[in-house]
């Protein structure tokens, strides 16, 4: 058995303890009794209620195609009728092996309306984990897509006898964008989604669904063994939405607008499902759905389509923070940008704020809590590295590492990273693990023990921190004598390209580093001059630089090894 020890410990105690979950209900003007009613669960009619309230309004936009709330509800109802006809109603489990497309919400709500439960399968999982999930969930019907990254794997499940029926959605249904697809075999157990729902008729009465019925088997990796299925009820899902509504109720009431929310997070993950999909539909917002993360597609949503909210994960924010022209991009429509799913490096948030003037904050949640855990109030102290306050209805303690029964008071902090006290605590953990026959693996979200060595690396080796490649462009027409000032001595290259013939000329030898100028006798024609510079100044380790890696290992792994050996 293996225990994974994270160096990153979220800071809850940095906030005042005087703000309690009940006190937070005042943000939305709700009493504790009202909150209790909200968190008690409701019937799984979220989509039906949204369709009744916001019918003609766009619920989801995918590949520039709008799908209204009424249309989404109708599509889900047809799916529900088909599931009932196929015997996948109360007591059945339907496995969804889908990426981000409208096929997911249609089948998600359809199966739930039929009384079935959902089991999410992640396309990122390997064969062992996926096989375990299918066996553990008891799902005998699987819904997938004909995308080349999904269908071949789903066919293996069928060949192995893990499922009885395979329903295949066709990606081009939502607009043909040239995605790579796989041929759908002619097999008695395989049916296209189009044929699966053909002529399906709604029943005289839909199955009764209770708040305590299991709606979703959401698998979570945990720290040991195979994935575990969190059994989430209809009440859990609607309560999660209500918690976020209470938390953001005041800010929403003040805006009185339809939000445009970018959804690139995978819908098979609890973060995207509750925080974005269910919550947005409940509130009548517009979901701009992306099949995958593409930084320029996201920027187009913000700059052109004027998206107002973008919930992402650290890798996405790192990509955006690294845009060389981010400080010139128009992010004025964004009123909320948040990070979750993994610890957000403090340095990334700093770079983003420096370039955009916007504050990027993170929260924390668990699959087992249906996502809600902590968040940052719209107005409150800026605590870099913190995950914020408990959300309404959530109770949480920060306990001592050496005694989990001892709740720590507000303001108390743990040992400084790599300090003697820190290593003493770590040694105790190793001893306990040895007694229990466990292996301890030290890592963080970047695969190293604390990505910037607790800030020590940045202080000692600023020249070895991450760097950014910038490009400056200028159009010139020759013949003429060209001269420009070049800043600094971090120039990696300079080139000119003829815009008609595509001829390229290396200008690097024309740079006068002493005088900081670039000179060139421009030939006839239209030319684009491009100057490439390396800009240092990021606050995390440049793991692409062998010298930086060696220094980092000396600061971290070598110090662990000196005390504890292998």
């Amino acid at each position: 058995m293996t225990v994974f020890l994270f160096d990153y410990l979220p800071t809850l105690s940095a906030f005042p303890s005087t703000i309690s979950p009940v006190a937070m209900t005042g943000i939305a003007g709700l009493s504790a009794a009202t909150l209790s009613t909200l968190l008690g669960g409701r019937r799984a009619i979220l989509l039906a209620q949204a369709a009744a309230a916001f019918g003609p309004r766009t619920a989801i936009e995918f590949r520039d195609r709008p799908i209204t709330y009424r249309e989404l509800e109708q599509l889900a109802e047809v799916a529900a009728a088909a599931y009932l006809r196929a015997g996948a109603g109360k007591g059945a489990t339907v496995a969804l092996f889908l990426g981000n497309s409208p096929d997911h919400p249609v089948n998600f709500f359809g199966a739930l309306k039929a009384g079935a439960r959902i089991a999410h399968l992640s396309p990122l999982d390997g064969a062992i984990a996926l096989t375990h999930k299918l066996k553990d969930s008891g799902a005998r019907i699987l819904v997938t897509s004909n995308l080349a990254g999904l269908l071949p794997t789903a066919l293996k499940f069928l060949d192995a006898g893990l499922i009885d029926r395979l329903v295949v959605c066709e990606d081009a249904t939502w607009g043909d964008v040239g995605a790579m697809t796989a041929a759908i075999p002619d097999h008695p157990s395989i049916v296209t989604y189009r044929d699966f729902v053909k002529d399906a008729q709604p029943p005289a009465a839909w199955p009764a669904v209770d708040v305590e019925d299991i709606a979703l088997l959401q698998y979570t990796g945990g720290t040991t063994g195979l994935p575990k299925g969190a059994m989430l009820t209809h009440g859990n899902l609607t309560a999660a939405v209500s918690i976020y509504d209470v938390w953001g109720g005041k800010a929403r009431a003040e805006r009185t607008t339809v939000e445009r929310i970018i959804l690139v997070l995978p819908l098979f993950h609890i973060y995207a499902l509750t925080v974005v999909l269910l919550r947005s539909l409940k509130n009548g917002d517009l979901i701009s759905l992306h099949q995958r993360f593409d930084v320029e597609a996201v920027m187009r949503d913000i700059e052109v389509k004027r998206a107002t909210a973008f919930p992402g994960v650290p890798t996405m924010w790192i990509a955006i923070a690294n845009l060389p022209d981010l400080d010139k991009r128009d992010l004025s429509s964004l009123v909320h940008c948040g990070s979750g799913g993994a610890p957000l490096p403090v340095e990334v948030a700093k770079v983003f704020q420096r370039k955009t003037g916007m504050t990027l904050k993170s929260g924390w949640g668990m699959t087992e809590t249906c996502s809600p855990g902590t968040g940052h109030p719209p107005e409150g102290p800026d605590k870099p590295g913190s995950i914020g306050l408990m959300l309404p209805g959530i109770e949480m303690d920060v306990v001592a590492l050496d005694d989990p029964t001892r709740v720590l008071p507000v303001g108390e902090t743990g040992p400084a990273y790599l300090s003697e006290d820190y290593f003493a605590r770590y040694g105790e953990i190793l001893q306990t693990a040895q007694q229990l026959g466990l292996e301890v693996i030290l890592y963080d979200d970047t695969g190293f023990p604390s990505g910037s060595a607790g800030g020590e690396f940045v202080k000692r080796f600023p020249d070895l921190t991450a760097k950014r490649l910038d490009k400056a462009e200028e159009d010139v027409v020759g013949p003429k004598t060209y001269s420009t000032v070049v800043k600094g001595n971090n120039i990696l290259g300079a080139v000119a390209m003829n815009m008609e013939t595509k001829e390229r000329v290396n200008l690097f030898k024309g740079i006068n580093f002493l005088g900081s100028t670039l000179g060139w006798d421009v030939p006839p024609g239209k030319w684009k001059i491009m100057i490439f510079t390396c800009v240092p100044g990021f606050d995390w380790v440049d793991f692409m630089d062998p010298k930086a890696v060696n220094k980092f290992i000396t600061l971290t792994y070598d110090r662990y090894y000196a005390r504890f050996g292998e």
Side-chain angles (χ1 to χ4, degrees):
M1 185 179 292
T2 300
V3 174
F4 293 94
L5 175 66
F6 283 89
D7 270 345
Y8 177 91
L9 293 177
T11 306
L12 280 166
S13 58
F15 284 89
S17 61
T18 53
I19 304 180
S20 68
V22 173
M24 288 303 298
T25 62
I27 289 180
L30 299 177
S31 66
T34 302
L35 176 62
S36 177
T37 301
L38 282 172
L39 301 184
R42 301 175 313 188
R43 289 191 164 272
I45 55 176
L46 184 150
L47 180 59
Q49 289 179 334
F54 315 116
R57 187 183 296 179
T58 298
I60 296 174
E61 184 180 276
F62 183 68
R63 294 174 180 168
D64 294 327
R65 171 186 169 177
I67 302 171
T68 67
Y69 276 84
R70 185 175 295 119
E71 182 183 2
L72 182 60
E73 163 67 4
Q74 291 169 348
L75 290 169
E77 188 166 296
V78 170
Y83 282 119
L84 284 175
R85 183 176 63 183
K90 293 280 285 189
T93 301
V94 175
L96 298 187
F97 188 50
L98 294 165
N100 278 16
S101 83
D103 290 322
H104 178 281
V106 167
N107 283 279
F108 178 83
F109 286 110
L112 292 183
K113 191 176 184 73
R117 66 179 72 92
I118 298 291
H120 274 143
L121 302 185
S122 167
L124 303 177
D125 278 342
I128 295 176
L130 290 171
T131 298
H132 166 71
K133 290 179 182 181
L134 279 172
K135 290 181 177 179
D136 185 70
S137 67
R140 301 301 301 178
I141 181 170
L142 185 145
V143 184
T144 191
S145 165
N146 67 336
L147 289 171
L150 294 173
L151 183 55
T153 301
L155 292 174
K156 293 178 182 178
F157 301 147
L158 185 64
D159 292 341
L162 295 172
I163 54 175
D164 299 322
R165 170 167 282 193
L166 180 61
V167 180
V168 184
C169 304
E170 294 166 283
D171 185 73
T173 300
W174 310 106
D176 191 351
V177 294
M180 292 184 64
T181 57
I184 303 174
D186 184 9
H187 189 286
S189 297
I190 300 175
V191 60
T192 65
Y193 180 78
R194 186 190 305 111
D195 290 338
F196 178 68
V197 301
K198 186 178 180 181
D199 299 328
Q201 298 297 317
W206 292 104
V209 177
D210 189 77
V211 294
E212 295 301 325
D213 288 343
I214 302 297
L216 178 63
L217 297 176
Q218 188 71 24
Y219 284 84
T220 177
T223 56
T224 59
L226 291 168
K228 316 297 191 298
M231 298 182 291
L232 304 177
T233 66
H234 287 267
N236 289 146
L237 294 177
T238 52
V241 175
S242 296
I243 286 172
Y244 286 114
D245 273 355
V246 172
W247 177 256
K250 181 175 182 291
R252 182 174 182 83
E254 291 173 348
R255 279 181 55 75
T256 64
T257 187
V258 176
E259 308 293 353
R260 183 184 186 97
I261 300 170
I262 300 173
L263 176 49
V264 295
L265 299 166
L267 281 165
F268 55 78
H269 193 279
I270 196 68
Y271 180 18
L273 182 72
T274 57
V275 178
V276 188
L277 179 69
L278 298 184
R279 183 187 182 192
S280 299
L281 293 178
K282 159 71 166 52
N283 291 327
D285 291 326
L286 186 156
I287 298 171
S288 181
L289 181 63
H290 293 243
Q291 201 155 32
R292 63 186 59 83
F293 175 71
D294 178 88
V295 66
E296 286 302 333
V298 168
M299 295 305 293
R300 174 175 174 263
D301 252 14
I302 298 170
E303 295 184 289
V304 178
K305 297 187 177 183
R306 311 304 293 161
T308 60
F310 177 39
V313 293
T315 52
M316 297 175 185
W317 290 113
I318 290 171
I320 291 174
N322 278 330
L323 285 172
D325 61 346
L326 181 59
D327 56 340
K328 300 179 180 64
R329 308 294 285 263
D330 181 8
L331 278 65
S332 59
S333 65
L334 278 183
V335 296
H336 175 75
C337 47
S339 183
L344 174 69
V346 173
E347 295 85 356
V348 175
K350 288 180 178 178
V351 171
F352 182 79
Q353 185 169 23
R354 184 172 69 239
K355 289 185 174 183
T356 66
M358 302 179 66
T359 301
L360 177 59
K361 296 182 178 180
S362 60
W364 171 87
M366 297 175 65
T367 302
E368 293 84 348
T369 65
C370 210
S371 183
T374 66
H376 284 265
E379 299 175 359
D382 184 18
K383 300 285 185 179
S386 170
I387 55 172
L389 291 165
M390 294 81 74
L391 296 180
I394 301 295
E395 296 180 1
M396 187 179 298
D397 288 331
V398 178
V399 299
L401 282 173
D402 56 352
D403 181 8
T405 64
R406 181 168 65 89
V407 177
L408 298 177
V410 172
E412 183 168 334
T413 59
Y417 181 60
L418 300 180
S419 66
E420 290 304 317
D421 192 18
Y422 172 89
F423 281 118
R425 298 280 186 90
Y426 187 70
E428 292 172 3
I429 293 173
L430 288 178
Q431 290 177 3
T432 302
Q434 192 173 33
Q435 294 169 2
L436 297 175
L438 303 177
E439 177 188 9
V440 176
I441 297 176
L442 180 70
Y443 79 109
D444 69 359
D445 55 307
T446 63
F448 292 90
S450 189
S452 63
E456 189 174 344
F457 187 94
V458 177
K459 295 175 183 177
R460 295 179 58 176
F461 307 106
D463 57 318
L464 297 178
T465 56
K467 303 169 182 65
R468 183 186 76 231
L469 183 66
D470 274 5
K471 179 178 71 171
E473 295 182 351
E474 186 176 351
D475 294 323
V476 298
V477 178
K480 65 177 292 186
T481 298
Y482 173 82
S483 179
T484 188
V485 175
V486 290
K487 299 178 179 179
N489 57 2
N490 295 319
I491 299 174
L492 298 184
V495 66
M497 181 176 69
N498 187 292
M499 301 304 291
E500 296 176 354
T501 66
K502 306 305 178 186
E503 175 191 0
R504 291 172 172 81
V505 178
N506 185 356
L507 304 181
F508 194 71
K509 61 183 179 181
I511 298 175
N512 180 343
F513 287 98
L514 187 61
S516 299
T517 59
L518 166 63
W520 181 46
D521 290 329
V522 184
K526 296 180 179 179
W527 296 81
K528 182 180 291 294
I529 296 176
M530 294 166 281
I531 302 173
F532 299 88
T533 55
C534 185
V535 182
F538 287 82
D539 294 333
W540 58 88
V541 181
D542 184 358
F543 290 120
M544 300 298 290
D545 186 328
K547 184 178 180 181
V549 172
N550 287 333
K551 294 289 187 183
F552 183 80
I553 290 174
T554 300
L555 274 177
T556 55
Y557 282 117
D558 285 359
R559 291 171 70 173
Y560 282 95
Y561 183 80
R563 287 167 172 78
F564 308 112
E566 294 290 347

